[in-house]
Amino acid sequence: MTTRTESEGDRGRRFVLAPNIEVNWRQTVWIFIGISSVCLGVALVCTWFGFWPVLPFAGLEVTALGWALYTSARRSLDREVIYVVDNMVTVEKGCGRAEQRWEMDRSWTEVQLRELHRHWGETRLVLRSREQTLTIGAFLDAQERRSLDRALRACIGPMARWGDDRPVAAIDSDEPRASWASGIAANAGEKTG
C-alpha cells in the first residue's frame, strides 16, 4: 500500500492512501485471453477424444480466473483522500472517484490507533469527532497505519491545534496537484509497503 502527502496550498495537507497495485488493463486482458485460449484449447482437444467432463471444469476455471483478474484490477482504483485544510478534516473514499465524503471539525477531531485484542498486532486507525467515528486506512498494514497515525496527529486534534490559529505548515511539493481520478498512482512523499 502507498501513502502520499502533499501540501494543500499553504493552508494544510492532503493524504492520499492507495493500494500498491498498478494494473495495466490492456496487459491484463491479453494475459486473460492467452491463458483462456490455452486452457479451453486443451479442453476442446480432450472433448474431441471423448473426455467431455474436462470442458465444464475448464470453463469454470477460466471464469474464476477472469473474475479474480477483474477484482484485482478494480481494487487498484481504491482511494482514501484525507484533506486537513483550515479548520476542517475532510475524508473522501471511493473506487476511481469520490463516492463517500465525511467532514469533521479539526479542533474536535481525535486520531486514535486502536489495538484489536483478538487479532495479534492488528490495529485500526480511527478519526473520532463528537458522535462520528470513521475508520481510515483499512487496507494499510500495521506499520503503515502507525506512520499515518503520527502524521495525522501532527496536524489534527484538539491538543495539537489548541490556541493556535496559524495554518498547518505545508510540505514542500514540486508536483502539480493531482486530481482525484488521475495521477494518483504515482508516489511522492511517504511510501511504505
Side-chain angles (χ1 to χ4, degrees):
M1 307 298 164
T2 62
T3 58
R4 184 177 65 184
T5 306
E6 292 179 349
S7 62
E8 192 65 22
D10 58 350
R11 301 179 307 156
R13 297 172 72 176
R14 179 172 73 154
F15 300 87
V16 180
L17 314 179
N20 194 15
I21 305 169
E22 204 162 323
V23 175
N24 183 327
W25 283 94
R26 181 174 287 181
Q27 285 180 348
T28 303
V29 169
W30 280 112
I31 289 170
F32 176 70
I33 289 172
I35 293 173
S36 299
S37 299
V38 171
C39 185
L40 292 176
V42 170
L44 288 174
V45 170
C46 290
T47 302
W48 179 265
F49 287 106
F51 300 108
W52 62 268
V54 173
L55 191 58
F57 287 106
L60 287 174
E61 187 177 273
V62 168
T63 303
L65 175 66
W67 177 81
L69 288 174
Y70 175 77
T71 302
S72 177
R74 185 162 171 76
R75 189 163 179 256
S76 70
L77 302 175
D78 287 350
R79 298 287 182 275
E80 291 183 12
V81 183
I82 305 164
Y83 299 93
V84 183
V85 179
D86 295 332
N87 198 32
M88 292 297 296
V89 177
T90 305
V91 179
E92 294 177 344
K93 293 184 178 184
C95 182
R97 60 184 172 87
E99 296 170 345
Q100 295 176 300
R101 180 185 174 97
W102 295 266
E103 290 185 348
M104 301 175 187
D105 188 322
R106 190 166 93 190
S107 299
W108 293 99
T109 301
E110 183 180 12
V111 181
Q112 295 179 342
L113 186 64
R114 298 177 179 171
E115 296 281 335
L116 302 178
H117 298 293
R118 293 185 179 181
H119 305 277
W120 289 1
E122 276 297 312
T123 56
R124 179 184 302 162
L125 188 58
V126 172
L127 292 178
R128 193 173 66 83
S129 178
R130 296 186 176 116
E131 301 297 321
Q132 191 175 19
T133 302
L134 177 64
T135 300
I136 56 173
F139 50 75
L140 302 176
D141 66 25
Q143 183 180 0
E144 293 165 339
R145 256 184 242 122
R146 277 193 292 275
S147 174
L148 181 62
D149 174 54
R150 284 191 300 270
L152 289 175
R153 282 178 193 266
C155 60
I156 296 176
M159 299 307 288
R161 302 294 302 157
W162 187 258
D164 187 1
D165 293 333
R166 293 174 298 165
V168 174
I171 293 176
D172 292 332
S173 176
D174 295 334
E175 287 190 13
R177 181 179 166 171
S179 68
W180 212 137
S182 63
I184 281 177
N187 295 333
E190 293 182 36
K191 177 180 185 284
T192 56

